[in-house]
Amino acid sequence: MNIYLFYIALFFYAISTISYLLCLTVSKKIIGKLGHYFLLTGFFIHLLATFVRYFEAGYTPITNAYESLSFFSLCIACFFLYIKKIYKMEMLGSIFMPVLTIIFIIAFAFPTEIRPLPPLLNSWWLPVHAIFSFIGCAVFLISFFVSVVYLIVENKIKEKRFSPAAARFPSLETLDSVNYQCISYGFIFLTIGIITGSIWASITWGSYWSWDPKETWSLITWIVYAILIHNRLTIGWRGRRTAYMMIIGFFSILISFFGVSFFLGGQHSFI
């Protein structure tokens, strides 16, 4: 049952993606609104599908590659809806929706059947640790693309080559404000994810920290964002510096999430 709901959610995400991409060439507001409503519909169906899978499996469905990428895309959709509600940034949907949809499509490349939960993961710490970690990663993915857009828009302004489509993107001040929101929320979620993971590790293995590859890269990522927050609050880092640091931090997240999970192995490997 749950898999059909996931496919329906993917359909609405795809239609939303097409709508937002049309916004790049057509300035009619109705297209952006349609993209928003398709996204909203897809998100609620995706959320429902996740709950259905939870009840069918009997555990929080974030235990393999398919479930993790699906939940990751759900977190992206959720935080983007939150940011868009605050800043009214329809044009950024033309960037985030293709990314969200592609991640969700990639999820279906992995086995989708429900499998027995490994004894190691049979703990209520699983949803606590994993959910906070995934939300943090989703927030920082959004900040990565906001940073890329910031640098592109800034470059266009300096070169005085501002196209009509680019002119509809948020101002540099708004993009920097979004980045600050992402830093604030993402760092909190990432910190809680690391702390709960350490507590879980202590209960399971008797040690808070074992320098597992994912633990190591999570710490590196945390340090990068901690430096960014410190410099922003103490010496006033804004704009381009923040954007570059957000990009660096996200590459660290990519290594932690994909590199460790699929290539480096360890206790956090999905396969």
Side-chain angles (χ1 to χ4, degrees), residues 225-246:
Y225 288 117
I227 291 173
L228 173 56
I229 291 176
H230 175 269
N231 288 349
R232 187 178 181 98
L233 295 177
T234 58
I235 60 179
W237 271 19
R238 295 290 187 277
R240 180 184 295 184
R241 289 180 176 178
T242 296
Y244 280 131
M245 284 295 287
M246 294 297 267

Side-chain angles (χ1 to χ4, degrees), residues 4 6 9 14 29 42 56 61 67 73 75 92-93 97 107 117 128 159-160 165 170 192 195 210 236 239-240 244 263:
Y4 297 109
F6 281 118
K29 292 184 178 180
E56 290 181 356
E67 294 173 347
S73 60
C75 292
L92 288 183
M97 284 312 301
L117 183 67
V128 177
E159 296 180 355
K160 297 181 180 179
I192 295 175
I195 292 173
S210 59
R240 180 184 295 184
Y244 280 131
F263 301 109

Side-chain angles (χ1 to χ4, degrees), residues 89 102 122 132 136 141 166 174 177 180 226 262:
M89 306 179 303
I102 290 172
N122 189 16
F132 279 110
L141 178 140
T174 300
S177 178
Y180 182 67
F262 296 107

Side-chain angles (χ1 to χ4, degrees), residues 73-93:
S73 60
L74 179 66
C75 292
I76 296 170
C78 180
F79 194 73
F80 176 56
L81 284 168
Y82 169 73
I83 288 294
K84 198 165 75 67
K85 181 179 180 181
I86 297 176
Y87 293 97
K88 312 295 182 184
M89 306 179 303
E90 296 294 341
M91 286 300 294
L92 288 183

Side-chain angles (χ1 to χ4, degrees), residues 30 36 55-56 60 63 87 91 94 96 103 113 145 148 166 180 183 195 221 228 240 244 262 271:
I30 185 62
H36 170 75
F55 288 111
E56 290 181 356
T60 306
T63 62
Y87 293 97
M91 286 300 294
S94 62
F96 294 126
I103 292 174
E113 66 271 11
F145 284 102
V148 171
Y180 182 67
I183 297 169
I195 292 173
T221 303
L228 173 56
R240 180 184 295 184
Y244 280 131
F262 296 107
I271 53 177

